[in-house]
């Protein structure tokens, strides 16, 4: 680490090498070139754990890169990562497996009258690979003197009784399945830091532990969705017909049919990727009720729809993955009850870890980058008083576009969680005039109802996991724990039939000798859906050894 002879001490430690954390590091080096900054990430390589649609609004990223590297637009990375500028934005409502109609006109009218859902228009944005974007941002950070280290899995913030964090503890490595130390055992180091920036992404382990440690509160529980995505190699003719500047967002079938059901929130996406590649995905709110639902089954039905199939028929899935998205919005941001800060003391929470996704847009990448910029500014301002960093950061967030978006969209998702899409979507149009609805946690919403649109064949999770290239050291302890197996046997299986076996996108869970077990932890994609959707809140996800997990390249 620059200007520091002690490798386990640093002025600023960023946990998570995604867009939010890297934006902090880049902006810090612009504002204060001599400050020592370290970014750690649990993935084996940069971008390996970064998955999104992804649509990127230009302004926050442009501003960051203009300050860091004024000639960035002429770089090879810019020409690659930002090649697809959206010039055709289709918002489809799918009615059954054959019919569809474009409702973009309605959203344009909503935008004209300042109605919230009018924000879901993406013309002029970029359609990007977030894995590639992350690699590019990390390279920029390194060129500025930031230490960006991969393969380092963090366990928790070291937080003393005076309300100030002293650093971050890494997990132990080299332990066998029985918990015994192996010859290659390395105890988890504690990295001391003046400032700690938590930018792990959705449902970050270290973040959620800190929320509990520091007594942070949410006005409403965080809600989640799961996104499953495939990158499909198509023919040049199919790609040309779709066009590089086009994105498709679809709602309705197969997760919401207003009369017959089901009544789930979310929808499908198709984005143009690199030459002859299309990203196809399905996003579904975790508050679904059907005990036998799997988002991958909905993805199959979406790909079969008459409006989608011609573009991908005969294509080859070259990469796939899954992740969760935070959807609780403004009321689910974790804050200190005393100061209202997003974080506490010298610890700040950024991006998806804080839940900065605007649900009217169903986008959060631009807010993640913006929050990183504000965290960097807060660090510079509080250089002589780091215990004020979280308060200063929150003040800066309140004065920038992040607060404006999050506050404006505060009642976008809750009416749908409360009343379902049919009643909730029209209600959410009222936006700021609505009260805050009390909503249940996602796992509390499951019932014994069945998903009526299941495909004829079971989804091939083995192939899906294989193209995600996920790996873990086989001999380490399982990072997935079923807290009380008797609950599975006596309560879950008789009523729901072990839903984790169905909804886990990687096939981690199996029934072995009539007992549900996390039998295949090495398959885990780190989406953490299991711990947020188990109907009895009976599964816990912890970080495996650094370097484990998916190895996305173009997601």
């Amino acid at each position: 680490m620059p200007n520091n002879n002690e490798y386990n001490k640093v002025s600023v430690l960023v946990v998570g090498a995604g867009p939010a954390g890297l934006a902090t590091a880049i902006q810090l080096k612009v504002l204060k070139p001599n400050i020592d900054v370290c970014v750690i990430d649990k993935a084996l390589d940069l971008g390996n754990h970064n998955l999104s649609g992804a649509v990127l609004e230009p302004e926050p990223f442009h501003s960051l890169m203009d300050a860091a590297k004024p000639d960035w637009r002429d770089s090879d990375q810019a020409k690659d990562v930002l090649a697809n500028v959206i010039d055709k934005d289709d918002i489809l409502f799918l009615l059954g497996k054959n019919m569809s109609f474009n409702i973009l006109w309605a959203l344009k009218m909503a935008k004209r009258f300042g109605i919230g859902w009018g924000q879901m228009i993406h013309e002029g944005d970029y359609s990007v690979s977030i894995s590639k974007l992350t690699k590019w941002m990390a390279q920029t950070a390194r060129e500025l003197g930031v230490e960006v280290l991969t393969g380092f899995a963090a366990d928790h913030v070291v937080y003393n009784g005076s309300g100030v964090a002293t650093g971050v503890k890494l997990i132990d490595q080299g332990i066998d399945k029985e918990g015994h130390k192996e010859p290659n055992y390395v105890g988890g180091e504690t990295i001391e830091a003046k400032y700690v920036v938590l930018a792990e992404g959705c449902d970050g382990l270290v973040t959620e532990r800190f929320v509990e440690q520091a007594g942070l509160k949410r006005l409403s529980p965080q809600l989640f969705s799961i996104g499953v995505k495939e990158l499909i190699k198509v023919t040049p003719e199919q790609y040309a017909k779709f066009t590089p500047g086009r994105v498709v967002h679809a709602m309705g079938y197969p997760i919401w049919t207003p009369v017959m059901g089901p009544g789930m929130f979310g929808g499908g996406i198709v984005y143009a990727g690199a030459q002859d590649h299309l990203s196809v995905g399905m996003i579904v709110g975790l508050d679904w009720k059907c005990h036998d639902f799997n988002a991958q089954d909905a993805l199959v039905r979406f790909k079969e729809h008459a409006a989608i199939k011609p573009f991908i028929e005969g294509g080859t899935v070259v990469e796939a993955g899954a992740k969760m998205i935070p959807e609780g919005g403004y009321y689910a941001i974790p804050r200190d009850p005393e100061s209202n800060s997003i974080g506490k003391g010298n610890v700040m929470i950024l991006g998806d870890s804080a839940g900065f996704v605007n649900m009217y847009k169903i986008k959060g990448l631009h807010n993640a980058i913006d929050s990183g910029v504000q965290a960097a500014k807060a660090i510079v301002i509080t250089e002589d008083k780091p215990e004020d960093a979280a308060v200063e950061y929150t003040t800066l967030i309140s004065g920038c576009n992040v607060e404006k978006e999050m506050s404006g969209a505060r009642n976008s998702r809750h009416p749908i969680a409360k009343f379902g899409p049919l009643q909730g979507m029209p209600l959410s149009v009222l936006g700021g005039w609505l009260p805050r609805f009390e909503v249940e946690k996602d796992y509390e919403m499951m019932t014994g109802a069945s998903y009526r649109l299941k495909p004829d064949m079971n989804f091939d999770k083995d192939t899906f996991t294989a193209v995600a290239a996920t790996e873990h050291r086989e001999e380490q302890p399982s990072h997935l724990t079923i807290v009380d197996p008797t609950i599975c046997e006596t309560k879950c299986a008789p009523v729901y039939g072990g839903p984790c076996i169905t909804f886990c996108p990687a096939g981690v869970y199996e029934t072995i000798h009539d007992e549900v077990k996390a039998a295949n932890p090495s398959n885990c994609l780190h989406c953490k859906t299991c711990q947020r959707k188990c109907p009895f809140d009976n599964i816990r996800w912890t970080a495996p050894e650094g370097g484990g997990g998916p190895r996305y390249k173009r997601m």
Side-chain angles (χ1 to χ4, degrees):
M1 297 174 190
N3 303 319
N4 191 345
N5 294 323
E6 297 182 83
Y7 75 96
N8 63 338
K9 290 186 177 181
V10 65
S11 295
V12 181
L13 178 63
V14 180
V15 181
L22 292 169
T24 300
I26 292 168
Q27 185 67 39
L28 259 175
K29 280 296 189 177
V30 169
L31 297 173
K32 197 171 179 60
N34 293 326
I35 194 170
D36 53 314
V37 185
C38 179
V39 182
I40 61 172
D41 196 274
K42 61 184 173 65
L44 180 68
D45 195 11
L46 292 161
N48 280 179
H49 290 184
N50 298 100
L51 180 151
S52 181
V55 168
L56 171 65
E57 288 191 12
E59 199 283 324
F61 182 74
H62 283 186
S63 296
L64 177 69
M65 294 299 289
D66 285 343
K69 197 172 182 180
D71 62 347
W72 66 270
R73 286 174 175 81
D74 298 323
S75 68
D76 291 339
Q77 294 96 328
K79 294 171 184 176
D80 177 26
V81 178
L82 306 181
N84 294 343
V85 179
I86 298 169
D87 57 19
K88 188 175 183 183
D89 189 10
D90 290 335
I91 312 291
L92 304 182
F93 189 89
L94 307 184
L95 192 62
K97 61 183 180 180
N98 293 311
M99 296 179 61
S100 67
F101 50 93
N102 199 329
I103 60 172
L104 180 62
W105 63 270
L107 295 182
K108 286 185 174 180
M109 186 173 294
K111 184 176 182 179
R112 183 178 302 171
F113 290 101
I115 297 172
W117 292 106
Q119 298 178 42
M120 200 198 303
I121 294 176
H122 308 292
E123 291 176 5
D125 296 340
Y126 298 111
S127 172
V128 302
S129 158
I130 195 170
S131 297
K132 287 186 176 182
L133 177 70
T134 299
K135 275 185 173 289
W136 178 19
M137 292 180 71
Q139 179 183 329
T140 302
R142 283 172 168 164
E143 290 171 356
L144 293 171
V146 176
E147 287 279 346
V148 183
L149 306 175
T150 57
F152 286 81
D155 187 74
H156 65 271
V157 173
V158 180
Y159 188 68
N160 65 29
S162 64
V164 175
T166 57
V168 170
K169 171 76 163 55
L170 305 180
I171 70 164
D172 298 339
Q173 301 195 73
I175 298 176
D176 66 19
K177 290 183 178 180
E178 285 71 41
H180 303 129
K181 296 178 182 178
E182 298 181 310
N184 64 339
Y185 170 79
V186 177
E189 189 73 61
T190 295
I191 303 177
E192 298 180 21
K194 187 177 178 182
Y195 296 90
V196 175
V197 176
L198 299 178
E200 304 173 277
C202 181
D203 200 29
L205 173 71
V206 181
T207 302
E208 292 308 308
R209 285 180 171 174
F210 179 74
V211 167
E212 185 174 347
Q213 284 175 294
L216 305 187
K217 302 294 182 185
R218 295 178 168 97
L219 290 176
S220 184
Q222 185 61 272
L223 304 175
F224 301 95
S225 66
I226 181 174
V228 291
K229 174 183 171 183
E230 294 177 341
L231 184 65
I232 301 177
K233 176 75 164 59
V234 299
T235 66
E237 292 76 19
Q238 287 173 311
Y239 187 79
K241 186 176 180 181
F242 186 82
T243 71
R246 184 181 183 187
V247 297
V248 172
H249 293 84
M251 62 181 68
Y253 179 90
I255 61 171
W256 174 31
T257 54
V259 178
M260 298 291 294
M264 306 177 196
F265 176 75
I269 62 167
V270 186
Y271 296 170
Q275 187 65 40
D276 299 341
H277 288 77
L278 298 178
S279 294
V280 184
M282 175 60 63
I283 301 169
V284 187
L286 257 62
D287 53 349
W288 71 69
K289 299 180 185 298
C290 301
H291 73 281
D292 60 347
F293 177 74
N294 171 23
Q296 290 159 317
D297 289 340
L299 177 62
V300 170
R301 288 298 195 193
F302 176 67
K303 290 165 62 178
E304 292 173 346
H305 194 277
I308 307 301
K309 187 175 181 179
F311 300 111
I312 59 173
E313 188 173 18
T316 302
V317 177
V318 297
E319 198 165 345
K323 68 160 286 187
M324 287 200 308
I325 303 166
E327 295 188 347
Y330 186 79
Y331 296 126
I333 297 171
R335 296 179 183 268
D336 176 25
E338 296 179 2
S339 66
N340 204 43
S341 60
I342 306 169
K344 190 166 186 175
N346 58 338
V347 181
M348 293 162 282
I349 305 175
L350 279 56
D352 278 10
S353 287
F356 291 150
V357 173
N358 179 345
M359 287 307 297
Y360 278 140
K361 295 181 176 182
I362 316 184
K363 287 192 295 188
L365 184 51
H366 60 297
N367 284 339
I369 292 170
D370 202 352
S371 69
V373 170
Q374 306 313 319
K377 292 178 180 178
I379 290 169
V380 173
I381 292 170
T382 62
E383 183 179 8
D384 298 325
K385 206 172 181 183
E387 62 271 21
D388 290 345
V391 171
E392 184 61 39
Y393 164 67
T394 305
T395 300
L396 292 168
I397 288 289
S398 298
C400 76
N401 193 59
V402 176
E403 170 78 13
K404 180 181 177 182
E405 285 202 10
M406 296 306 298
S407 178
R410 63 188 180 276
N411 290 315
S412 54
R413 181 69 171 90
H414 285 67
I416 302 167
K418 183 75 172 178
F419 303 107
L422 186 60
Q423 292 83 26
M425 289 287 283
L427 270 177
S428 67
V429 170
L430 300 174
W433 291 300
L434 293 174
R436 174 170 61 88
F437 292 111
E438 296 294 330
V439 296
E440 296 180 274
K441 295 178 180 178
D442 288 323
Y443 72 84
E444 297 173 323
M445 299 297 289
M446 189 171 286
T447 71
S450 296
Y451 178 58
R452 70 178 183 85
L453 296 172
K454 273 192 166 296
D456 297 331
M457 297 179 62
N458 289 333
F459 187 86
D460 186 356
K461 293 185 180 183
D462 290 339
T463 299
F464 187 90
T465 305
V467 291
T470 190
E471 291 185 24
H472 297 81
R473 189 175 70 87
E474 294 284 351
E475 293 308 311
Q476 66 182 297
S478 175
H479 61 284
L480 297 151
T481 302
I482 295 176
V483 180
D484 185 352
T486 62
I487 289 177
C488 301
E489 181 182 355
T490 62
K491 295 183 178 181
C492 187
V495 178
Y496 302 119
C500 59
I501 298 171
T502 302
F503 66 63
C504 172
V508 168
Y509 298 90
E510 291 183 13
T511 300
I512 300 176
H513 303 305
D514 296 324
E515 183 179 346
V516 176
K517 293 185 176 181
N520 308 300
S522 60
N523 285 5
C524 180
L525 297 174
H526 295 205
C527 71
K528 306 172 192 171
T529 304
C530 54
Q531 81 167 354
R532 295 304 178 187
K533 190 54 182 174
C534 168
F536 293 94
D537 191 25
N538 196 35
I539 296 175
R540 294 293 176 268
W541 189 98
T542 55
E545 290 182 2
R551 298 180 180 181
Y552 304 135
K553 304 296 185 198
R554 294 170 288 178
M555 296 301 276

